[in-house]
Amino acid sequence: MIYPIQIIGCPVLRKIAPDITPDYPNLPQLIADLYETLEVTEGVGLAAPQVGVSVRVFVIDASPFADEDPSMANFRRTFINAHIEERMGDKEYFNEGCLSIPGIHEDVLREPKIRMRYVDEQFQPHVEEFEGIAARIIQHEYDHLDGMLFTDRVSPLRKQLLKSKLNAIQKGRFKANYRYKMAR
Ligand code: NI
């Protein structure tokens, strides 16, 4: 099933998503639906809160970045109950966008390397380090689990300049070539 994308202003995007247990109902279906939705929206990552499901699950398909980094060609990963344990290195800028904030792109500062604890689809625990584009996408999706959006992370000046644009989006003044859901 392809979910509609929750747009900035929807309360679920500001909630802290809880961990789930192995008996969480229909988890394989949720994960399959996240990948299907990611594919049609042509995104590189999608977090469950973005489809209105407040749980600590996100999926990434970084293959569009294969030109820049060949190791991303097969980077298709599911992260459940993710918790970043450490962020390492000097912060770097990277231009980000988000399906939940259509039409907006901003340079965002983030650390280039992280260590993250998570469980996979079989609920096997992992602690893994990521860097480069993977670390970038993971940190963006991870923020969604903590009720944060990339526009929260821009400079105070950029934030001021963005204000009216974000308000316009919340009033429905945007274009998106995928199904979406606005706050009531
Ligand atoms: Ni996003």
Side-chain angles (χ1 to χ4, degrees), residues 131-152:
E131 51 193 325
I133 286 167
R136 172 62 57 164
I137 302 171
I138 286 171
Q139 288 181 86
H140 176 113
E141 299 313 322
Y142 183 88
D143 272 354
H144 282 300
L145 307 181
D146 285 341
M148 277 194 76
L149 299 169
F150 79 96
T151 46
D152 301 339

Side-chain angles (χ1 to χ4, degrees), residues 5 7 40-41 98-103 175-180:
I5 301 293
I7 300 296
V40 300
T41 54
C98 182
L99 294 169
S100 295
I101 316 176
K175 283 197 181 72
N177 57 359
Y178 44 83
R179 282 174 64 224
Y180 55 83

